[in-house]
Every structure is written in structure tokens, then in C-alpha cells.
Amino acid sequence: MKKGPVFETACSHCQVRNQSVFHVLEQEGLSEMSLHKSCAMFRKGQYVFTENGIPAGLYCVNSGKIKLTTTGPDGKEQILRLAKSGDILGYRAMIAQERYHCSAVALEDASICIIDKNYFFSQLETQPKLMFEVVKLLSRDLKTAESHIVSLSQKNVRERMAEALLFLKATYGFEADGKTLHVTLSREEMADYVGTSTESCIRLLSEFNADGLVSLNGKKIALENTAALLRTAGLED
């Protein structure tokens, strides 16, 4: 996979290390890992890795936002997961020694470090704390995937849209105004995550806007009434 311009950052100086599985490593381990990785920039829309590709290393997001997608038999894209700074990508396929079951695409310009596969496996064998962090991550991702499957199969599209907006808030947070989602998705990408058509996505967001749940400014979405979105998504206590 062709990568963008190369950048370098030492693992010990990484600004997002404490949000990743590598926060358990000591300085010596971080310094050693820096010798077994490469780093590159990926432009918006560029593939980090592709579905059915063979894993060559572990991808760690230094900055930027990534979508993980798969394509159905009808050619429609389905967004499976969204990633942010500090997240690792492609670890499940690498550990299972399988091909990637999805593609990773940059939602915005992103800087990503690629850790050598064999080195990462050696660290899992010798660093029990790191192995435990990866197991915890696998468990969390499985729970998220199961919740998404239940939502797609049991909730109507209005409930799923509200749930998706709340998920984006939980994943990326707000901009400085405290209500605008700190991520920009096209209406087609929103539809791909919710599991509906682009037309239905546009209509629902317009309805949410009219009902005072959100406000729209181009592709930007501000959450105006989180409590109402929780009720709409069926997530109230």
C-alpha cells in the first residue's frame, strides 16, 4: 500500500501514548519499539490498508480519524468502526493470522505508525501487561460490535441515527463550542454507519434539526438536546 510522506516521532515522546495499549510500557520498552516501526502520513480518503490484504504490521494512529469499512455483495459500503488518535488498527487479523476483513480509510489527514509484526508478537510474549491490554481492547471492541449488530437488527432507523450521533460524541467529543461534533462525515458516510440510504439520512437529520435535537452547518452537526437524543435512541436509564 502506497503511503504518504514519512514523519518520525519517538514512542517515548508520543502525545497519545497514554491513550493507547502501550501506556503500560516502560521507557526502555518504548525506546526499543521506536527502532521497530516506521511512520507515514495518510491523506484524507487514502487507504491505510485494504480488505483481504495480508497484515504486515500493527497500525497505531498518532493523529487523525479513521473509518473501518467493508463492502457488501450489493457494493454498498458499511462502516464497522471509527478510530481516533491512540487507537491501534489491524491487530485482530494480525493476531489471528488472517487477511483483513475490512479496509481502513483516513477520514481526514492522519499520521500513523506501523510497528513490525514480528516485534509486536515478541512483545506480547514477554510483556504480560501489554498482552492484558490487548485482550481488554479485544473485549471492548467485541462488545461494541455486538451492540452495533443489535442496533442494526432491532432498532428502527430513527433510533439508530440518534444512537450514531451519541456514539460520535463519545468517540470524538465536541469542538470548542461544547456541542458541535469534533468529526466531519459526509451524509453518505453517516448513512453507511447507520445502515440506511443517503436519502433517509438527509431526511432524518432534517427532522432532527426541525425538532431541535441537532443543528446543521454544512457537514457539521451540533447536538442541541442530548437528553432527547438519548430518549430517541432508547438509551435512557
Side-chain angles (χ1 to χ4, degrees):
M1 182 59 55
K2 183 180 179 181
K3 295 175 286 189
V6 173
F7 76 97
E8 291 296 335
T9 182
C11 295
S12 58
H13 298 144
C14 178
Q15 297 296 310
V16 297
R17 175 172 58 86
N18 288 333
Q19 287 117 48
S20 79
V21 295
F22 300 114
H23 74 274
V24 296
L25 295 182
E26 303 292 342
Q27 285 295 119
E28 182 179 353
L30 293 170
S31 297
E32 184 182 2
M33 189 163 66
S34 290
L35 302 176
H36 293 85
K37 71 178 178 68
S38 60
C39 305
M41 297 294 300
F42 292 83
R43 302 304 182 192
K44 179 179 179 180
Q46 189 174 6
Y47 282 80
V48 179
F49 57 77
T50 57
E51 192 169 353
N52 294 317
I54 299 173
L58 181 75
Y59 294 85
C60 187
V61 183
N62 181 270
S63 67
K65 302 176 179 68
I66 309 293
K67 63 177 180 179
L68 288 99
T69 72
T70 188
T71 304
D74 59 354
K76 181 173 174 53
E77 184 178 275
Q78 176 68 53
I79 295 180
L80 304 175
R81 189 160 69 89
L82 296 168
K84 62 185 185 305
S85 301
D87 287 347
I88 58 174
L89 309 173
Y91 68 95
R92 193 206 63 79
M94 193 175 71
I95 292 172
Q97 298 184 30
E98 298 175 348
R99 292 177 179 268
Y100 293 123
H101 74 288
C102 63
S103 298
V105 185
L107 284 170
E108 62 185 31
D109 290 354
S111 57
I112 296 178
C113 297
I114 305 98
I115 301 168
D116 178 76
K117 177 171 66 174
N118 293 327
Y119 175 75
F120 180 67
F121 282 147
S122 72
Q123 291 305 291
L124 290 181
E125 292 175 357
T126 59
Q127 300 278 354
K129 289 183 179 180
L130 179 60
M131 172 67 84
F132 186 58
E133 288 300 311
V134 173
V135 171
K136 286 198 298 183
L137 179 60
L138 277 166
S139 299
R140 288 196 298 269
D141 283 349
L142 178 59
K143 179 182 178 181
T144 300
E146 289 173 341
S147 298
H148 194 44
I149 290 170
V150 170
S151 177
L152 287 172
S153 62
Q154 297 186 9
K155 292 189 174 184
N156 62 45
V157 67
R158 184 178 176 86
E159 291 171 324
R160 298 201 306 270
M161 177 61 75
E163 188 173 66
L165 292 170
L166 293 167
F167 175 78
L168 292 175
K169 169 184 173 291
T171 303
Y172 296 119
F174 289 135
E175 295 185 357
D177 64 1
K179 62 180 182 179
T180 300
L181 293 173
H182 193 47
V183 61
T184 302
L185 297 177
S186 69
R187 296 299 184 255
E188 183 178 5
E189 287 170 330
M190 282 291 298
D192 290 340
Y193 183 74
V194 172
T196 189
S197 66
T198 304
E199 293 76 14
S200 292
C201 174
I202 293 170
R203 175 180 55 79
L204 278 167
L205 287 175
S206 295
E207 290 179 4
F208 282 14
N209 181 62
D211 293 340
L213 277 66
V214 304
S215 58
L216 308 174
N217 182 14
K219 293 181 182 178
K220 291 289 187 179
I221 302 174
L223 306 191
E224 301 290 351
N225 192 333
T226 301
L229 284 171
L230 284 165
R231 289 193 297 271
T232 302
L235 297 175
E236 281 188 304
D237 292 334

